[in-house]
Amino acid sequence: PVVHTRFVWPHGGKRVFLSGSFTRWSEHLPMSPVEGCPTVFQAICSLPPGIYQYKFNVDGQWRHDEGQPTITGEYGVVNTLYLTREFDHINTVLSPTTPGSRMDVDNDSFQRMGSLSDGALQEGSPRISESAIQISRCRVAEYLNAHTGYDLLPDSGKVIALDINLPVKQSFHILHEQGIPVAPLWDSFRGQFVGLLSPLDFILILRELETHGSNLTEEQLETHTISAWKEAKRQTYGRNDGQLRSNQHLVHATPYESLRGIAMKILETGISTVPIIYSSSTDGSFPQLLHLASLSGILKCKYLASL
């Protein structure tokens, strides 16, 4: 049996070749840049289980990857590959007790070595190499930059908005009945989306009701509007929400923004959800609410899921 094994050189270069004991050190296999990661090169080889040594020829210079296990022998410092029938494991090295071995083994790498028995690696599952992590980061970054808020829109579904003049209690009943945790707030007078009603509001209201001497009673929730609650919340907790005050704007995204830009808005503002809003007018009038974006939603995007 053979194992399809990926060799990775993550340190850049113009022309990179791979050579090793599996090519008898005589053949130089060309390595190709990873799509979206021009500094990362890879080559796929089909190898039978065994122990291999290899090096990289980068722009005419022989080099080894210091981030991978190494040994010192006839060809100087080389990387090692310990391959089983189950999987390739580029983080283990040649055992010094292997017959015919006359090489000095890197001690740190040797401590991570397993033993080959019936094709199974005894030390457990392999850890992910730094080069594999770098490739994944490059691919994720490429997708986040190449795709936009439109790619987050579901094929079908609904987005519910609440008028700021609705009573708070009725609003939370609507959220519960619809099975949604967050809803944008609509100010019909201004003709704009001005904020979000979230579980944090519900938690703070419960705290208000349980607090001795609270000015907010359960009965008042029947008529207490969202706008009144948001203003009271701002005065009590010092939270602007960046929304209901006329001199501030709701943090939102457009469907034309990249997924990276939307993710950065969420991270930089410390909020959990960003409404995706479209308006054909330059002044933002007549906005259309398309979706509510979150980091978890971006990570579950059908494009990222295909990586």
Side-chain angles (χ1 to χ4, degrees):
V2 296
V3 180
H4 299 294
T5 308
R6 181 173 63 181
F7 293 86
V8 177
W9 173 257
H11 306 297
K14 295 181 179 179
R15 300 184 65 192
V16 182
F17 296 88
L18 171 70
S19 188
S21 56
F22 45 87
T23 67
R24 298 186 178 182
W25 298 101
S26 59
E27 182 181 359
H28 296 173
L29 304 177
M31 303 185 73
S32 303
V34 174
E35 183 178 357
C37 306
T39 62
V40 181
F41 293 77
Q42 68 175 357
I44 308 297
C45 299
S46 298
L47 303 174
I51 301 172
Y52 300 96
Q53 305 141 41
Y54 60 97
K55 294 189 78 167
F56 302 93
N57 189 292
V58 183
D59 298 331
Q61 299 292 323
W62 285 105
R63 299 177 61 180
H64 64 278
D65 186 356
E66 296 181 354
Q68 301 298 335
T70 60
I71 56 176
T72 302
E74 182 180 356
Y75 295 93
V77 180
V78 298
N79 290 120
T80 59
L81 171 66
Y82 186 76
L83 194 61
T84 74
R85 292 186 180 91
E86 301 296 327
F87 47 77
D88 59 298
H89 186 37
I90 62 175
N91 292 306
T92 48
V93 297
L94 179 66
S95 167
T97 59
T98 301
S101 173
R102 296 180 182 177
M103 298 183 178
D104 300 325
V105 181
D106 179 270
N107 290 331
D108 292 334
S109 297
F110 176 66
Q111 291 177 0
R112 298 194 297 268
M113 186 187 68
S115 60
L116 185 63
S117 175
D118 296 328
L121 188 66
Q122 300 300 308
E123 73 163 357
S125 58
R127 70 176 180 87
I128 301 175
S129 67
E130 289 297 326
S131 57
I133 294 175
Q134 185 173 350
I135 290 175
S136 296
R137 286 175 176 169
C138 287
R139 287 179 173 173
V140 170
E142 180 187 12
Y143 269 84
L144 291 179
N145 285 320
H147 293 85
T148 67
Y150 271 120
D151 297 312
L152 294 177
L153 304 185
D155 295 331
S156 63
K158 59 183 178 181
V159 182
I160 295 176
L162 301 174
D163 193 283
I164 60 172
N165 293 315
L166 280 174
V168 171
K169 188 173 183 178
Q170 180 183 354
S171 301
F172 282 117
H173 277 304
I174 293 174
L175 294 182
H176 175 71
E177 291 172 356
Q178 297 298 324
I180 55 177
V182 179
L185 301 177
W186 172 256
D187 187 334
S188 55
F189 178 77
R190 294 165 57 185
Q192 294 178 353
F193 292 101
V194 294
L196 296 171
L197 191 68
S198 70
L200 176 60
D201 293 292
F202 184 63
I203 293 171
L204 293 178
I205 288 175
L206 291 179
R207 182 185 295 176
E208 281 286 309
L209 293 175
E210 293 175 356
T211 301
H212 179 69
S214 170
N215 294 325
L216 184 62
T217 64
E218 187 172 358
E219 290 75 17
Q220 287 176 319
L221 289 179
E222 298 287 350
T223 57
H224 199 68
T225 64
I226 297 175
S227 60
W229 157 248
K230 287 289 188 178
E231 179 61 25
K233 173 184 171 183
R234 184 186 67 82
Q235 295 178 0
T236 303
Y237 298 96
R239 299 175 183 270
N240 290 333
D241 281 355
Q243 295 132 355
L244 294 179
R245 299 178 68 184
S246 58
N247 62 339
Q248 296 186 354
H249 299 282
L250 170 68
V251 177
H252 70 281
T254 71
Y256 302 111
E257 291 186 48
S258 68
L259 295 185
R260 181 182 183 277
I262 297 174
M264 291 304 298
K265 281 187 176 181
I266 295 174
L267 293 172
E268 291 173 353
T269 58
I271 57 180
S272 61
T273 306
V274 169
I276 297 181
I277 298 174
Y278 169 76
S279 175
S280 58
S281 304
T282 56
D283 60 357
S285 57
F286 305 105
Q288 300 178 40
L289 178 65
L290 302 180
H291 189 60
L292 296 177
S294 63
L295 285 180
S296 61
I298 293 174
L299 295 176
K300 293 177 182 177
C301 175
K302 58 185 177 182
Y303 295 95
L304 282 177
S306 65
L307 290 179

